[in-house]
Amino acid sequence: MSQAPTGFVWLVGAGPGDPGLITVAAAEALAQADVVVYDRLANPALLDLAPAGAERVAAGKGPDRHTMTQDEINALLVERGRAGERVVRLKGGDPFVFGRGGEEAEALSANGVPFAVIPGISSAVAAPAYAGIPVTHRGVASSVTFVTGHEDPAKESHGVDWQRLAGSADTLVLLMGVGQLAEIVERLTACGRDAETPVAVVEWGTLSRQRTVTGTLCDIVDKVHDEGIGAPAVIVVGEVVRLRDKLRWFDTRPLFGLRTLVTRTREHAGQLSKALAAVGAEAIELPAIAITPRYDEKTLAAAVDSMKAGGYDWLIFTSTNAVDIFFSFLERRQLDTRSVQAQVAVIGSATAEALQSRGIAVDVTPERFTAEGLLAALPDDLTDRRVLVPRAENARPLLIDELRGRGATVDEETLYVAAPPGDGDVQAGAAAEALRRLRAGEIDVATFASASSVTSLVAILGDDLSPLRRCRIACIGPITAAKAEELLGREPEIVAEEHTIPGLVTAIEEAETSRV
Ligand code: SAH
């Protein structure tokens, strides 16, 4: 998408909840937004796709939020568009499917504000799909009708023609209807729909907290009541519901429904979150650390020059962050990989991959991804060897001490600081919501991929560490586990055997599936 002119409004569908169901066009619009006006049903994680400095306005209904009326929202969009801003109006599902996007478009059109519509994946099809229910199916249902259940079916002047509707389509999908389920069922049966027709109600579809209740027009009201199902939910009426028995796929994943906290940096959270989501867990991102490059320009430049001239035997990287920052430093000085005139060793496989992707072959990767593992893989005698270790400030002294003990001359160069992000970052967007959920006891497993993420999360929580007592702690390896034990006063429940992100996910999966 080309850069939009200023004074432009996008009416954007955010999809039904799973943040992966946002469209590419929506992500591109968000990336250019000056202001995002969002609804409650739009996943807050998506707000992070907007620039950090973009204004975020909550328009939707919520227990603790002021609700803007539709007129106020229309007026806001017109006003901001006219003021020359790039406005994203982010709405749950599709903006034109029971989303009042049409009214907003009318207001923009009437006031001459240029706009575009970016359709979204509607919950009307996505929630059934994630419950294993195709809304049409060859030989079973060849038509589908989307209906609002919001209008009171008992009222004389409601907008829905139930008589016509009941027999109109093979599948009916009702939105905004759980509150009126009893009346809806009564109307449908009164208007001739067979009482044995299968019905499914899918609450919080496409999210890890999705729940589905199935029954028939006869018994669904009681079942929904017993399970305490509420809004948001879609109701599916029709024979297609039976297919769920065979086609269930989402809520049968091994960690389905498990709420996990991901504390990695914003940049690095994605890999872990995706791996957790792939086994059904909800990954709630609370970046506990931010990486800030911090080095002494002069000494680092001298070390690089020396390495280029063959002054080091070994170059050791202990994290991907160190690789990233080291190589951007080389680039800034218009140097390249030819500066690396030394054998290269790393602690973990991710760091090795980061080097390989830059064209650097790694000479030593240990079997166990810890400093101890690396030491075991390096020669015992390092007499007269010169070693360069660019790494984090305040990193563990063990590696350096031991290398020196073996006779090496070690130059340790600080490259960056890993510390809790600034207050502003934790108090806004998805991180703020994650922190709220942690404090409210809504996390089952908190994950830590580094000792510094434990230290930082503890710092963010301040005096009250009780939220971390209420969940299980999963650590990537023994160093992280030791830090957790030191700061939380108990052994972490889960420690990965293979100290990688996939290893961490496997450990959580094994521990949690054998818990019941
Ligand atoms: N424009 C939206 C619908 C907005 S109306 C869309 O296309 O999806 C709000 C209704 O949508 C809710 O009452 C509920 O019926 C449905 N809904 C939205 N998100 C949902 C979800 N994740 N799971 C189930 N139903 C959902």
Side-chain angles (χ1 to χ4, degrees), residues 16 41 92-94 97-99 122-123 127 175-176 202 204-205 232-234:
L41 285 177
D94 180 273
V97 177
F98 302 124
S122 176
S123 62
L175 280 72
M176 299 176 281
V202 187
W204 287 114
V234 302

Side-chain angles (χ1 to χ4, degrees), residues 4-26:
T6 52
F8 195 88
V9 179
W10 287 277
L11 300 173
V12 177
D18 176 347
L21 295 180
I22 188 93
T23 64
V24 174

Side-chain angles (χ1 to χ4, degrees), residues 98 135 143-147 165 168-175 235:
F98 302 124
V135 292
S143 57
V144 53
T145 299
F146 300 129
V147 191
L165 193 73
S168 71
D170 297 324
T171 307
L172 300 179
V173 178
L174 295 115
L175 280 72
I235 303 161

Side-chain angles (χ1 to χ4, degrees), residues 314-390:
W314 288 96
L315 172 62
I316 298 181
F317 287 106
T318 59
S319 72
T320 55
N321 293 316
V323 173
D324 292 345
I325 296 168
F326 188 79
F327 281 89
S328 11
F329 179 76
L330 287 188
E331 257 165 50
R332 266 207 310 116
R333 296 183 58 86
Q334 294 181 338
L335 293 169
D336 59 31
T337 54
R338 287 169 296 178
S339 298
V340 182
Q341 295 296 330
Q343 296 206 74
V344 178
V346 298
I347 288 189
S349 55
T351 312
E353 278 160 29
L355 284 160
Q356 277 146 10
S357 72
R358 288 180 170 83
I360 304 276
V362 175
D363 301 289
V364 175
T365 309
E367 265 172 41
R368 287 190 74 76
F369 302 152
T370 59
E372 290 80 353
L374 175 58
L375 285 163
L378 288 171
D380 287 338
D381 184 6
L382 290 168
T383 313
D384 294 337
R385 299 286 145 204
R386 298 204 49 184
V387 185
L388 178 60
V389 189

